[in-house]
């Protein structure tokens, strides 16, 4: 569906004020954010707010991340065309759709079956192969498809899951919020070097839903 004039002006505002205005510079990321119809990923009663720079509820107590955070995490992941990318926490599929604008090799894991099913219906028409989305605990990564050039995690564990570090290529980037509601969370970018060592950058304080084990989805 083509955006209406109202949507176009809301998209323009999101790009100029919330993304470029806060330091997002990569033209490919800005183009991806302008292209993916965020209003198609939120519940119909939220569509009027789809382009606001705010997280919105998507059901099951979960949220679609605010556009700035989606753009920031995508930029930090430094995705090149042809890169293999893993996303942990598909949610409504919006971040997945943004990643698909940058590379076709996107894999995504969601722990809640109902959210995964909704996301699958949205993402298959956008080019995500059916076997690139699975239900499960993403903190274990996806060893069958590893290694990945970039891994993005959109729910916060208390500590960085070791399997995700192991499943990075040399030079690969893990972008992940870490912490809890008491100590606070930091968005980290962890880069694996050619010798298998890691360099961690602390980017900004963030607030994500917790990363939960598969058996605790109720
Ligand atoms: N990526 C989404 C977007 O585009 O807006 C946002 C997802 S929401 C902030 C975080 C998601 O992570 C939720 O859908 C939640 O069910 C999921 N999640 C939580 N723990 C998980 C786990 N261990 N493995 C996979 N997904 C998990």
């Amino acid at each position: 569906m083509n955006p209406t004039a109202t949507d176009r002006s809301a998209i323009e505002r999101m790009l100029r004020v919330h993304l470029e205005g806060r330091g997002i510079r990569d033209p490919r990321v800005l183009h991806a954010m302008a292209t993916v119809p965020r209003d198609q990923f939120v519940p119909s009663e939220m569509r009027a707010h789809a382009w606001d720079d705010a997280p919105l509820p998507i059901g099951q107590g979960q949220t679609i991340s605010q556009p700035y955070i989606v753009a920031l995490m995508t930029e930090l992941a430094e995705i090149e065309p042809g890169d293999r990318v893993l996303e942990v926490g598909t949610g409504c599929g919006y971040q997945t759709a943004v990643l698909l604008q940058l590379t076709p090799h996107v894999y995504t894991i969601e722990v809640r079956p109902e959210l995964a099913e909704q996301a699958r219906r949205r993402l298959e028409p956008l080019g995500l192969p059916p076997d690139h989305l699975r239900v499960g605990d993403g903190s274990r990564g996806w060893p069958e498809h590893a290694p990945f050039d970039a891994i993005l995690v959109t729910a916060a564990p208390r500590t960085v899951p070791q399997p995700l570090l192991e499943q990075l290529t040399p030079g690969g980037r893990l972008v992940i919020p870490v912490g809890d509601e008491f100590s606070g969370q930091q968005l980290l970018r962890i880069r694996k070097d050619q010798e298998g060592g890691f360099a961690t950058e602390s980017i900004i304080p963030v607030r994500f839903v917790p990363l939960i084990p598969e058996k605790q989805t109720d």
Side-chain angles (χ1 to χ4, degrees):
M1 210 165 31
N2 288 329
T4 63
T6 315
D7 283 343
R8 274 201 297 276
S9 92
I11 295 168
E12 198 54 29
R13 186 176 145 75
M14 174 189 78
L15 289 172
R16 304 292 157 247
V17 178
H18 301 310
L19 304 187
E20 290 184 299
R22 294 178 71 185
I24 304 297
R25 292 281 174 268
D26 185 333
R28 295 178 61 240
V29 174
L30 291 166
H31 183 259
M33 295 295 295
T35 305
V36 175
R38 188 170 156 90
D39 55 329
Q40 304 299 306
F41 288 83
V42 300
S44 47
E45 64 276 16
M46 292 286 162
R47 291 219 166 119
H49 299 287
W51 304 99
D52 294 356
D53 195 45
L56 297 172
I58 56 170
Q60 307 232 334
Q62 303 305 305
T63 51
I64 176 172
S65 304
Q66 73 188 97
Y68 170 65
I69 293 294
V70 173
L72 177 64
M73 291 180 73
T74 308
E75 188 168 73
L76 288 167
E78 297 177 352
I79 297 163
E80 296 292 334
D83 273 2
R84 297 167 63 77
V85 177
L86 175 67
E87 178 196 26
V88 174
T90 320
C92 64
Y94 175 68
Q95 170 83 73
T96 328
V98 170
L99 296 171
L100 278 171
Q101 296 290 317
L102 302 174
T103 174
H105 309 298
V106 177
Y107 297 82
T108 184
I109 306 174
E110 169 56 51
V111 77
R112 291 186 161 80
E114 297 82 357
L115 290 180
E117 201 37 54
Q118 283 175 24
R120 186 187 299 285
R121 284 200 292 273
R122 291 186 179 115
L123 290 167
E124 283 187 17
L126 300 179
L128 187 79
D131 57 350
H132 283 209
L133 188 161
R134 77 170 173 85
V135 176
D137 176 6
S139 61
R140 298 184 207 143
W142 199 336
E144 296 80 359
H145 293 294
F148 300 99
D149 301 291
I151 301 178
L152 289 86
V153 183
T154 68
R158 290 212 169 89
T159 57
V160 177
Q162 188 64 26
L164 300 183
L165 295 171
E166 287 164 7
Q167 290 173 32
L168 284 174
T169 55
R173 292 79 54 200
L174 170 61
V175 180
I176 183 167
V178 176
D180 58 37
E181 54 186 307
F182 306 110
S183 59
Q185 300 170 3
Q186 277 289 321
L187 184 64
L188 306 180
R189 174 168 59 184
I190 304 173
R191 204 184 285 273
K192 191 175 201 170
D193 66 27
Q194 299 299 324
E195 287 74 44
F198 296 96
T200 301
E201 295 163 80
S202 194
I203 309 293
I204 51 165
V206 284
R207 215 166 146 183
F208 279 82
V209 294
L211 191 83
I212 49 162
E214 196 167 1
K215 52 187 181 306
Q216 284 180 20
T217 50
D218 298 334

